Amino acid sequence: MSTSQQPPLSPPPQPTSEIEEVLTDDNDSDYSSIDSEIPLSSTTNKPPLPTMMIDSLFTTPPLLHDPLVTQTSTVQDETVNEILPFLSASNKQPDLFTYNEFGVPNLRREAHVNFLHMSLGRLPGRFVAADASRPWFLYWCLSGLAMLGEDVTQYRDAVRDTAKSMQNPTGGFGGGGGQLSHLATTYAVVLALAIAGGEEGFEVIDRRAMWKWLGGLKQRDGGGAYCAAVIITLLDLPLDLTPESPAYKPDDPSFNLLSGVADYVRRCQTYEGGISSSPSAEAHGAYAFCALGCLSLLGNPSRTIPQYLNLPSLLSWLSSRQYAPEGGFSGRTNKLVDGCYSHWVGACFPLLEAALNGSSMPVNDSLFSREGLIRYILCCCQDDTKRGGLRDKPGKMSDAYHSCYVLSGLSAGMHQWVLDETENNGEEPEWMVLPCLEGEQVFEVGDRVRAVHPVYVIPQGAVRGMKNYYRAKGGFN
Ligand SMILES: [Zn+2]
């Protein structure tokens, strides 16, 4: 049997190429009318300092250069050449950006907030291609706004009503009204409801139907993982399978919704050390995060991650995703740096650090260059027009997807997570966040974004609020 036939882990929450095209198409006049409605960010007009402290690592091409010229090496060189002026602050735009003494621009918070509010409103007609991704826009925008420090409770009623229109009586949420339920869109709706908060929103979810629906999706080999594990744990669903589930094992009643998942994740680690969508596929940053997130939900990550994954090879692969001079991450071997991997790869490190710190080989330093990541994000991923929002790289348009995951990566770079296991009394360990101050901090205090839970990627208060609500109910009523 070919292993490539196996079902994938839950799909990484990324736009399809078709949607990415819509999100990043800059030849649309509709946007110019939207742009004119966006007020400019109020920048403090500080004159740039005469000398900025930028390490030459970030201002010069790599010392080692493979002489073999291929299509891949050519586009890599072009990308570095396009990015260097941004990293060395030689193309300063004083009307839109202010720079600190490290040559790093300030976060254009107000412009990004405006962009995300706009993305939650009426969108140009061509976004019809993203119709099956409507829950994603809710999640990306609400999560982005929360990280930027905005109060999103104003969207409670709208999120509740939209969620209601997308739920199917057979369980789960579709991408829009009248669409089939899907694990990925259900994951996005549940997270959006958690961020917006409020019992009326939580009450929308038919948890019994959700539980039965998940039972119908359960694969005997353990595939279909991160999105399901997030939904199950946030909604405090029972793990049992009913005899109607295709995965139900009459001879093994203990086989449940999460059985076999950890072993499936183990089989997705590739010869490179990274994690793929299914056994024998190519290692990819988004699946690395989903795999680590999944293992962190199945048990204490300091135990589950080393138990199911080869840590040294995973660490080697993850570290190879961070490039110099760019500072940001790529998603796969020989691919270009892209802002969204600031999250998919960058957010793997807190989970890995937690795993190692609970083991016999604790780490005292960061396992990645926080400075490099923060420089890439603030220098290269901030839209440099009045539109605002965050993007893949210079030359690309900002969009809601990249805004969410670039900000989440920024949050991973600006904070340190510790797993507090002191008083767990059988309960799951608590994640504690600390501001990361090690070494030189190249961002200003006012540019810090809020921390998000390292596994659920929503504010910790939102995780607690939703879990406690359903736990207190005890059962489906
Ligand atoms: Zn991207």
Side-chain angles (χ1 to χ4, degrees), residues 61 206 227 243 306 311 372 460:
D206 182 342
C227 292
L311 276 190
Q460 257 188 318

Side-chain angles (χ1 to χ4, degrees), residues 5-338:
Q5 301 288 315
Q6 303 211 11
L9 288 168
S10 299
Q14 298 191 86
T16 63
S17 55
E18 198 183 34
I19 295 167
E20 189 134 32
E21 221 167 79
V22 174
L23 292 172
T24 54
D25 174 14
D26 48 357
N27 299 319
D28 195 294
S29 54
D30 284 347
Y31 249 121
S32 55
S33 60
I34 291 173
D35 280 349
S36 60
E37 292 164 23
I38 305 174
L40 275 176
S41 148
S42 61
T43 50
T44 46
N45 282 326
K46 275 191 294 185
L49 292 162
T51 48
M52 292 173 171
M53 287 182 276
I54 310 176
D55 195 295
S56 61
L57 178 69
F58 304 110
T59 57
T60 46
L63 288 175
L64 293 177
H65 196 265
D66 191 333
L68 179 69
V69 176
T70 64
Q71 212 179 346
T72 304
S73 73
T74 305
V75 64
Q76 170 63 25
D77 290 344
E78 287 168 2
T79 303
V80 168
N81 288 334
E82 188 162 11
I83 283 174
L84 279 175
F86 287 85
L87 287 172
S88 51
S90 60
N91 64 342
K92 285 198 282 294
Q93 291 176 276
D95 51 332
L96 288 175
F97 288 97
T98 49
Y99 292 78
N100 68 23
E101 62 191 296
F102 299 102
V104 175
N106 291 102
L107 180 70
R108 297 180 66 205
R109 193 182 297 269
E110 198 180 327
H112 305 325
V113 164
N114 288 332
F115 175 77
L116 289 169
H117 280 306
M118 180 201 77
S119 301
L120 278 172
R122 192 175 286 273
L123 297 170
R126 63 193 163 76
F127 275 80
V128 71
D131 186 53
S133 297
R134 286 177 58 204
W136 283 118
F137 282 80
L138 296 180
Y139 167 63
W140 294 330
C141 296
L142 293 175
S143 179
L145 287 168
M147 285 184 273
L148 290 166
E150 288 289 291
D151 175 12
V152 295
T153 52
Q154 59 179 299
Y155 288 109
R156 260 185 197 176
D157 293 352
V159 172
R160 178 200 61 208
D161 293 346
T162 307
K164 219 181 252 179
S165 74
M166 293 170 172
Q167 186 166 224
N168 285 302
T170 47
F173 295 85
Q179 296 180 23
L180 284 176
S181 293
H182 190 287
L183 257 183
T185 48
T186 300
Y187 160 91
V189 170
V190 169
L191 292 188
L193 286 167
I195 301 170
E199 298 185 359
E200 281 184 40
F202 296 169
E203 280 301 316
V204 165
I205 303 175
D206 182 342
R207 288 160 67 235
R208 186 189 294 273
M210 177 81 80
W211 169 65
K212 285 190 178 161
W213 175 69
L214 288 171
L217 299 179
K218 173 64 182 173
Q219 304 286 313
R220 281 200 174 185
D221 69 358
Y226 173 69
C227 292
V230 164
I231 295 165
I232 290 165
T233 52
L234 276 180
L235 302 185
D236 197 33
L237 297 180
L239 297 179
D240 321 83
L241 292 172
T242 62
E244 292 85 63
S245 168
Y248 181 74
K249 292 185 177 176
D251 52 330
D252 182 8
S254 67
F255 189 85
N256 65 36
L257 275 174
L258 294 176
S259 295
V261 168
D263 204 50
Y264 186 85
V265 169
R266 181 182 60 75
R267 291 196 289 128
C268 291
Q269 184 165 28
T270 78
Y271 70 94
E272 286 190 287
I275 320 277
S276 59
S277 60
S278 55
S280 303
E282 186 186 6
H284 186 289
Y287 293 107
F289 177 78
C290 291
L292 290 172
C294 211
L295 291 176
S296 305
L297 291 173
L298 291 170
N300 184 331
S302 65
R303 186 173 46 79
T304 53
I305 293 176
Q307 185 180 348
Y308 291 96
L309 296 172
N310 179 326
L311 276 190
S313 70
L314 174 60
L315 191 52
S316 158
W317 182 83
L318 286 171
S319 302
S320 307
R321 304 278 59 75
Q322 189 164 29
Y323 293 170
E326 298 97 307
F329 293 100
S330 68
R332 285 180 276 165
T333 302
N334 286 329
K335 295 281 280 182
L336 303 174
V337 67
D338 175 344

